[in-house]
Amino acid sequence: MDKTKMKKVETFASIFGEDHSEVPSEKTDGTTSLRLEDLIPFRNHPFKLYEGDRFNDMVESIKQFGVIVPIVVRKVDDKYEILSGHNRVNAAKEAGLTEVPTVIKEGLTEEEATLIVTETNIMQRSFSELAHSERATVISTRHSAMKNQGVRTDLLNEIEKLSKAPNLASEETFYPMDKKLRTHETIGNEYNLSQASVARYLRIDKLSDAIKDLVDEGKIAMRAGVDLSYLSQENQEMVEAIISENTFKVDMKKAALLRKHEKEGNLNWNTAQKIISGDMLKSRGKVKPFKLQPTIISKYFNPNEDKKAIEKTIEKALEFYFSQMKNQSHDIEEGEEMIE
């Protein structure tokens, strides 16, 4: 092994190589060689794996240099669950390897294991590269860690140090987690997002996996996904089935109607289909013409006021009124999202 490769392995090992025990093929550098057949992916792995040129480039690199940065795993029964390194493992298999250098973590809670999965993944790729559902997972996991004061600070420090390991992403998309963790504002600063956007991503993470895929594909608008996140899992499945069956798209108006009908207790297949297809919005049609009562006109306008001037004033007043109502509704929803 050349000096550069050895240095990279030693750097990683110094971070994660202190707490393994009773593992096969232990090396003097603190890592362990594990057979690929003994590895299993992280359950419900939330990130999309490399494909195409990016994957092929990794395969060629591994053929030439091997797996430089060890993967991170934890023992699950008689197998080892991958926490960091799913792409490296797939590429190693394609390259014909039978073993990979590994660091084994023990005594992790589910939250800590998920934290390693999300944080090490964001180090490999910039936040802007991630799909909406992946961003939601990262933000939700970080948010949960911030709220839970019991999260091990040594683990957070290890993850922070890992961001400085060779050939990994720069610290532009990663900030220390051992500082005092605050609120949506802290997360927003880390990922260059507004507090409202952080709140939206927290809601997106509550969607079913199938609905998340539709958000990623653009069949459901991001803000529409926020409204759909308030639906029951059963109704989310129903919405996904209608969209997939008919290749419909869901915008904010449709999503708001779906949420409204569920809240009123009358959301069923027929109603949902009418909303998603757009038929319900069409059926509303135009408002029937009507005349304002003279008493209302005289209350706000002079008897000699020009008719067109009155209409213009009423139009402006209505525009102002509805914009205020929209802002008020938006603020209420943002408040709900922040609380949850």
Side-chain angles (χ1 to χ4, degrees), residues 46 50 142 154 185 193-194 198 237 281 304 335:
Y50 291 170
R142 178 68 69 89
D154 63 321
E185 182 179 3
L193 297 172
S194 67
V198 171
E237 291 175 7
L281 292 171
N304 298 326

Side-chain angles (χ1 to χ4, degrees), residues 288-306:
K288 294 181 179 180
F290 67 95
K291 292 184 179 180
L292 289 175
Q293 294 295 324
T295 52
I296 297 177
I297 299 294
S298 60
K299 184 177 179 180
Y300 296 101
F301 299 96
N302 295 324
N304 298 326
E305 194 85 35
D306 180 72

Side-chain angles (χ1 to χ4, degrees), residues 20-26 31-32 34 80 104 106:
H20 58 273
S21 62
E22 298 182 3
V23 294
S25 306
E26 187 173 328
T31 64
T32 298
L34 288 180
Y80 293 90
I104 301 173
E106 297 191 10

Side-chain angles (χ1 to χ4, degrees), residues 115-231:
L115 197 61
I116 290 177
V117 174
T118 57
E119 292 299 326
T120 54
N121 194 284
I122 199 68
M123 293 167 200
Q124 303 287 345
R125 300 183 286 170
S126 69
F127 186 78
S128 61
E129 283 185 70
L130 303 180
H132 285 308
S133 62
E134 294 174 323
R135 294 182 188 185
T137 298
V138 170
I139 289 175
S140 179
T141 304
R142 178 68 69 89
H143 184 262
S144 178
M146 286 181 175
K147 292 196 302 181
N148 185 356
Q149 297 302 314
V151 174
R152 285 168 40 188
T153 56
D154 63 321
L155 180 66
L156 302 182
N157 288 333
E158 285 179 329
I159 295 173
E160 181 190 349
K161 290 177 183 177
L162 181 58
S163 69
K164 300 183 178 71
N167 277 357
L168 295 184
S170 69
E171 293 179 89
E172 293 177 359
T173 58
F174 188 88
Y175 290 74
M177 287 191 62
D178 57 347
K179 63 184 178 183
K180 185 178 180 180
L181 304 176
R182 293 183 290 275
T183 59
H184 294 65
E185 182 179 3
T186 302
I187 300 176
N189 289 338
E190 293 182 6
Y191 299 115
N192 196 27
L193 297 172
S194 67
Q195 292 185 53
S197 292
V198 171
R200 291 189 193 103
Y201 277 120
L202 290 174
R203 291 304 316 177
I204 292 298
D205 194 57
K206 296 180 183 295
L207 291 169
S208 67
D209 289 342
I211 295 288
K212 285 179 183 176
D213 287 341
L214 293 175
V215 172
D216 290 342
E217 294 167 11
K219 293 179 180 178
I220 296 178
M222 172 74 173
R223 293 197 180 190
V226 171
D227 267 323
L228 295 182
S229 72
Y230 289 95
L231 300 183

